[in-house]
Amino acid sequence: MSIVKIENVRVLDPVAQSDQVKSIYLAHGKMLEATADVIANVAESIDGQGKWLMPTMVDLCARMREPGQQQHGTLKSEGRAARENGILHVFTPPDSKPIVQDNGALVHGLVEKAMLDGGIYLQVIGAQTQGLNGKQPSNMAGLKKGGCNAVSNANAAFENDDVVIRTLEYAAGLGLTVVFYAEEPEIAKDGCVHEGFIASRQGLPSIPVLAETVAIAKYLLMIEVTGVRAHFGLLSCGASVELIKAAKAKGLAVTCDVAMQQLHLTEQLIDGFNSLAHVRPPLRSEQDKQALRQGLKSGVIDAICTHHEPLSASAKLAPFAETESGITAFDSYVALGLQLIREGLFEPLEWVEKVTLIPAQLAQMQQRWEQEAGWVLIDPELNWQLTKDSILSHGKNTPLINQQLQGKVLRTFVATV
């Protein structure tokens, strides 16, 4: 057993609610008691002065691009990028091309491949309707047997509201969580950016806040009637926070998350038709950004996710509205989280909870996460540049390219897989 000693490191443990500087011993990603035998068998010592140690992270939304879109990324490339950036458990929406997430047996195979190729624990969100066609409920019982504990229709539209209600009733009966990425198709239409001055000046079709809030309001009414457990992913506007706050106050079994990019970036980045800032839901106003931050601080928004969407260079080369939406996010995730701490939004342990323990609890896998999680060594003061060479993901599509960031994962300690 190879034992690593890290001396004088700040250990941030959300399970124990502990934040203290101490020396620790690790073997296969697990902390050991400092027995005489352990001390005698230390194979490596690391000076942890000024460094932080936290559990491996749980990401509630990332697209790995496999199967079917290997030109953008693979389970091997994106798994490595996640793991090396401290993310060990990754949830992926059910909209791969082709769609395999409506078949429990294929889901199981995808999970095994993610561990074999990328060294991560992939958690597949099952398809809510067959092939995401929005017409017939999927075989949710089979998906549950295949390992899915949640279903979603991703960004695909439902044929009508009756289909939504039937799928919610089906999921409720099986104890599955339904994940919504709320957007009303008739309002969003062919939009690609936030509705505002910049969109108007550039002549780009827009997605108003109303597209998100109308969908959330409608789904909340259905959730109340069916009693299903629901999660709203990727909130993008302040009005959505208010709707979720009211639903929670009412006692509905509702949770939500926000992408890290929405806490930092705004519509200003689309100026000049910068397609690297093309993402869905779109980057919104400064007011929305601040409202999302406060919603996260207050606990209305439960967790932070990466919303990692790697894309090949060619996917961003067309005119803005014709480019593919998405931002690669694994490599900047920790630095942006540390920025929230430096700006005074969180204490370090609060941020750690939002990216580790709380998402594990939302996914009803806290016990499993505690068993499988390793530890992540971070230098919170390290200054570095996010370049195409430094990005581990196959996708280099980020509006933060070539920017100086502060804080980086130095090493991820996990069991050998």
Side-chain angles (χ1 to χ4, degrees):
M1 182 168 59
S2 179
I3 298 175
V4 178
K5 179 183 181 182
I6 308 178
E7 299 180 279
N8 302 314
V9 68
R10 184 177 184 180
V11 180
L12 298 158
D13 186 346
V15 177
Q17 283 294 293
S18 171
D19 177 356
Q20 56 183 309
V21 176
K22 59 184 178 180
S23 295
I24 60 96
Y25 298 85
L26 293 175
H28 300 301
K30 298 300 176 185
M31 247 180 232
L32 304 176
E33 294 291 332
T35 63
D37 185 53
V38 166
I39 294 171
N41 286 282
V42 170
E44 180 184 1
S45 292
I46 298 173
D47 181 5
Q49 185 72 38
K51 311 298 191 300
W52 295 0
L53 192 72
M54 61 180 281
T56 52
M57 289 170 275
V58 179
D59 186 4
L60 292 175
C61 184
R63 287 179 169 84
M64 310 301 281
R65 299 307 189 191
E66 190 177 345
Q69 294 182 299
Q70 284 89 330
Q71 74 274 24
H72 301 310
T74 64
L75 289 172
K76 184 175 182 178
S77 69
E78 305 318 297
R80 173 175 173 259
R83 184 183 168 100
E84 293 301 310
N85 283 290
I87 304 165
L88 194 58
H89 291 81
V90 178
F91 283 77
T92 188
D95 53 358
S96 62
K97 298 178 182 178
I99 294 164
V100 300
Q101 295 89 343
D102 59 357
N103 184 307
L106 294 178
V107 164
H108 184 71
L110 198 61
V111 170
E112 289 185 336
K113 193 173 191 298
M115 176 56 71
L116 182 65
D117 289 0
I120 59 167
Y121 295 99
L122 188 68
Q123 313 291 322
V124 178
I125 300 172
Q128 194 170 343
T129 59
Q130 295 176 26
L132 299 183
N133 63 14
K135 298 178 181 180
Q136 299 89 24
S138 63
N139 179 9
M140 293 186 198
L143 289 172
K144 184 175 181 179
K145 188 175 180 181
C148 295
N149 60 9
V151 294
S152 174
N153 222 48
N155 293 326
F158 294 98
E159 185 176 56
N160 54 57
D161 291 338
D162 182 57
V163 174
V164 183
I165 294 170
R166 285 190 289 119
T167 58
L168 298 191
E169 290 171 341
Y170 189 6
L174 292 168
L176 294 171
T177 299
V178 175
V179 180
F180 292 103
Y181 304 103
E183 183 181 274
E184 192 66 20
E186 288 303 310
I187 298 176
K189 293 185 179 178
D190 298 320
C192 60
V193 294
H194 174 63
E195 183 180 60
F197 173 75
I198 297 176
S200 297
R201 186 180 66 193
Q202 299 189 153
L204 291 171
S206 61
I207 302 174
V209 163
L210 201 61
E212 182 169 303
T213 55
V214 164
I216 290 176
K218 179 175 70 173
Y219 293 143
L220 285 173
L221 292 172
M222 297 178 181
I223 290 163
E224 184 173 12
V225 170
T226 59
V228 73
R229 186 172 56 249
H231 180 82
F232 287 89
L234 311 178
L235 295 193
S236 74
C237 51
S240 296
V241 177
E242 293 305 311
L243 288 169
I244 298 297
K245 181 179 180 181
K248 286 187 171 186
K250 202 173 184 179
L252 297 187
V254 171
T255 56
C256 61
D257 67 56
V258 63
M260 184 67 81
Q261 62 212 14
Q262 298 285 1
L263 302 171
H264 293 275
L265 312 180
T266 69
E267 60 177 335
Q268 296 295 327
L269 284 174
I270 68 170
D271 204 10
F273 301 97
N274 179 11
S275 64
L276 290 175
H278 181 193
V279 66
R280 197 174 193 125
L283 300 177
R284 297 204 181 271
S285 69
E286 177 67 24
Q287 291 78 11
D288 285 310
K289 184 188 86 172
Q290 294 302 330
L292 291 169
R293 286 186 169 206
Q294 291 309 309
L296 188 64
K297 176 67 175 177
S298 70
V300 174
I301 299 177
D302 300 277
I304 311 171
C305 69
T306 67
H307 195 199
H308 175 71
E309 294 185 300
L311 290 168
S312 65
S314 61
K316 292 290 188 180
L317 293 180
F320 189 104
E322 298 172 24
T323 60
E324 294 190 47
S325 64
I327 293 175
T328 186
F330 285 156
D331 292 271
S332 59
Y333 192 52
V334 166
L336 293 180
L338 294 172
Q339 186 176 327
L340 295 177
I341 296 171
R342 288 192 298 272
E343 292 176 2
L345 187 64
F346 295 121
E347 292 299 317
L349 189 57
E350 287 182 292
W351 165 67
V352 170
E353 286 181 311
K354 298 289 187 183
V355 296
T356 60
L357 176 62
I358 293 176
Q361 291 173 334
L362 297 183
Q364 297 186 300
M365 55 171 280
Q366 179 179 345
Q367 184 176 5
R368 176 184 169 183
W369 168 71
E370 289 184 29
Q371 292 173 345
E372 295 172 343
W375 292 88
V376 183
L377 183 64
I378 292 172
D379 184 341
E381 302 299 328
L382 181 65
N383 290 299
W384 59 289
Q385 188 176 31
L386 185 71
T387 65
K388 290 183 178 180
D389 289 336
S390 70
I391 292 174
L392 296 176
S393 169
H394 184 72
K396 315 301 179 184
N397 51 301
T398 170
L400 299 174
I401 198 73
N402 295 326
Q403 287 195 21
Q404 289 292 130
L405 300 177
Q406 186 176 1
K408 200 174 197 319
V409 171
L410 300 179
R411 190 162 165 185
T412 304
F413 299 91
V414 298
T416 304
V417 293

